[in-house]
């Protein structure tokens, strides 16, 4: 009865956190276990009693401060210096700016919203198809879950009980590979459609653009450098980044007004609270799953099909593609990690870092695929472009992501090299 209730509530679009909580309560009621009843609130609280989770609201706040302080616009202008003169230069600028933003915002949906407003009108003005411009921007949002800091990595690290800093390191090489593949897609499409040729900035303009953006570039450099160098934890790096973003926007760029801080704090608190509540509810749900020995039962089933770790990851990828189409990436990773991670580690000897990178990239694909496709609809709304038109131009990027997923599944070293 409990599984039926779970899927019915999901199909009725009940918020995932409520679904997880009510399913756990229903199971406890059916089991008539008073000890589970008495421990329910304690288990919810213990699910969020993690220092690492503080990184989530802090990275969200950093993104808000950078957008409000004019740093996003300056990063886009700096990207023009490096790739603006190539054929299809504005598409490469879009991609490079998305790389900068991925190292700050950490949320694919937020990144797609910000970049769609900034890049799609500019690309259309220079002669690019609006559908391709929106598709390139939406695809760039897929860099957010693999280029650190990543919100999905923070959540996975907490659920898997592994160092979040190491999880960030695991995403660097996959993020660069994915960026290179996207650049290849843009180059091939550009040759076929003869994109407009960009113009290189004159030396004076280039120096000014880089100089103005240099302080903003220091924020992702400080985040990643602090973590890699062992100087700060991800949470401490996020706190420093938010302070630096505020000071730059207020004192240097003079576009951030202290009067707007309350609204930014409010938006950050509301968005972070949704995620934290899901994690708390998932802790109880995961507790029920472990109590029922579901991972062990599923492991017995899957190991009868294959003993090969690569084949196992292919099966997981295929299953999660469908999960990601129906459930938001954050909710999905909270749901599947307690079930699949023990199988990956115990039955197949897969590194938790490789597994985390693979499922994070896989699940975020759901942002751009119907029927849910939140990122697709965000890009459509922000760019005023029909979703069908975006999807028509998006498929080469989705094929590139599929290829990268297969590579990451076959070669563990792509995720673990910087950790080992």
């Amino acid at each position: 009865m409990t599984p039926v209730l779970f899927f019915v509530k999901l199909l009725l679009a009940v918020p995932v956190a409520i679904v997880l909580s009510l399913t756990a309560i229903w199971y406890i009621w059916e089991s008539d276990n008073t000890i589970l009843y008495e421990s329910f609130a304690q288990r919810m609280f213990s699910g969020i009693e993690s220092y690492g989770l503080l990184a989530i609201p802090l990275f969200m706040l950093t993104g808000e401060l950078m957008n409000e302080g004019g740093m996003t616009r300056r990063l886009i202008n700096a990207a023009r210096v490096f790739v603006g003169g190539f054929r299809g230069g504005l598409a490469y600028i879009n991609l490079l700016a998305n790389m900068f933003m991925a190292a700050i915002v950490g949320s694919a949906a937020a990144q797609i919203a910000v970049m769609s407003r900034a890049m799609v009108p500019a690309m259309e003005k220079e002669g690019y198809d609006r559908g391709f411009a929106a598709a390139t921007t939406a695809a760039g949002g897929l860099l957010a879950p693999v280029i650190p800091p990543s919100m999905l990595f923070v959540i996975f690290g907490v659920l898997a009980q592994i160092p979040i800093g190491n999880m960030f390191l695991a995403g660097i090489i996959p993020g660069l590979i994915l960026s290179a593949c996207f650049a290849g897609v843009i180059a091939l499409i550009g040759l076929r459609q003869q994109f407009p040729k960009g113009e290189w900035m004159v030396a004076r303009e280039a120096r000014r653009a880089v100089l103005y953006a240099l302080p903003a570039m220091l924020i992702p450099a400080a985040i990643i450098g602090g973590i890699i160098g062992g100087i700060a934890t991800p949470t401490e790096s996020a706190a420093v980044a938010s302070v630096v973003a505020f000071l730059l926007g207020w004192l240097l760029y003079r576009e951030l007004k202290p009067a707007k801080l309350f609204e930014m704090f409010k938006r950050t608190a509301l968005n972070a609270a949704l995620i934290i509540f899901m994690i708390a509810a998932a802790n109880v749900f995961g507790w029920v799953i472990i109590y029922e020995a579901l991972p062990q039962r599923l492991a017995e089933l899957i190991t009868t099909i294959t003993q090969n770790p690569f084949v196992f990851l292919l099966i997981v990828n295929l299953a999660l593609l469908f999960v990601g189409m129906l459930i938001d990436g954050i909710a999905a990773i909270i749901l599947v990690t307690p079930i699949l991670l023990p199988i990956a580690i115990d039955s197949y000897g897969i590194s938790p870092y490789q597994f985390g990178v693979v499922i994070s990239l896989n699940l975020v694909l759901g942002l751009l695929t119907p029927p849910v496709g939140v990122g697709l609809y965000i890009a459509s709304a922000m760019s005023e472009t029909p979703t069908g038109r975006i999807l028509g131009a998006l498929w080469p990027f989705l094929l590139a992501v599929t290829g990268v997923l297969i590579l990451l599944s076959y070669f563990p070293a792509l995720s673990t090299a910087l950790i080992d």
Side-chain angles (χ1 to χ4, degrees), residues 211-358:
L211 187 62
Y212 285 172
L214 194 57
M217 290 180 188
L218 292 176
I219 295 176
I223 292 171
I224 298 170
I227 295 168
I228 293 175
I231 300 170
T233 66
T235 302
E236 291 165 350
S237 295
V240 170
S242 61
V243 172
V244 172
F246 168 68
L247 292 176
L248 289 177
W250 178 35
L251 299 176
L252 182 63
Y253 296 131
R254 299 184 180 277
E255 292 188 25
L256 178 60
K257 307 301 180 187
K260 294 183 178 179
L261 282 177
F262 178 76
E263 278 302 316
M264 285 186 279
F265 289 153
K266 182 180 176 182
R267 285 197 301 269
T268 301
L270 288 172
N271 292 331
L274 294 173
I275 297 171
I276 300 298
F277 180 35
M278 273 199 291
I279 294 171
N283 194 56
V284 180
F285 185 77
W287 177 45
V288 168
I289 286 171
I290 293 169
Y291 189 85
E292 280 292 293
L294 183 59
Q296 291 88 333
R297 296 179 187 177
L298 192 57
E300 290 174 6
L301 174 63
I302 296 177
T303 50
T304 60
I305 300 172
T306 180
Q307 297 289 333
N308 189 310
F310 175 60
V311 176
F312 166 74
L313 283 175
L314 289 183
I315 294 171
V316 168
N317 275 319
L318 190 59
L320 293 188
L321 279 174
F322 290 103
V323 172
M325 289 179 183
L326 300 173
I327 306 174
D328 173 72
I330 291 174
I333 204 167
I334 290 170
L335 278 172
V336 304
T337 298
I339 301 172
L340 295 178
L341 182 62
I343 301 172
I345 295 174
D346 299 335
S347 301
Y348 293 94
I350 295 170
S351 163
Y353 301 107
Q354 179 193 12
F355 190 74
V357 170
V358 168

Side-chain angles (χ1 to χ4, degrees), residues 130-151:
R130 193 172 188 83
F132 173 78
T136 305
T137 307
L142 297 179
L143 297 171
V146 284
I147 293 182
S150 162
M151 203 173 300

Side-chain angles (χ1 to χ4, degrees), residues 94 112-113 115-117 120-121 124 129-142 185 189 193 365 367-370 373-399:
N94 194 343
I112 290 169
M115 297 302 293
S116 292
R117 287 196 300 266
V120 175
E124 187 181 31
D129 176 72
R130 193 172 188 83
F132 173 78
T136 305
T137 307
L142 297 179
V185 169
I189 296 175
Q193 298 185 4
L365 273 175
L367 276 173
L368 302 180
T369 50
V374 175
L376 183 63
Y377 298 125
I378 289 173
S380 175
M382 294 297 174
S383 64
E384 298 180 355
T385 309
T387 54
R389 192 172 171 184
I390 297 175
L391 271 175
L394 190 61
W395 67 266
F397 295 99
L398 299 182
L399 284 179

Side-chain angles (χ1 to χ4, degrees), residues 85-108:
F86 295 122
R87 182 172 294 281
L90 204 52
Y92 291 111
I93 290 168
N94 194 343
L95 177 62
L96 192 56
N98 267 298
M99 289 180 66
F100 288 147
M101 292 303 295
I104 299 164
V105 178
S107 164

Side-chain angles (χ1 to χ4, degrees), residues 393-408:
L394 190 61
W395 67 266
F397 295 99
L398 299 182
L399 284 179
V401 176
T402 304
V404 171
L405 274 173
I406 294 171
L407 274 178
L408 295 176

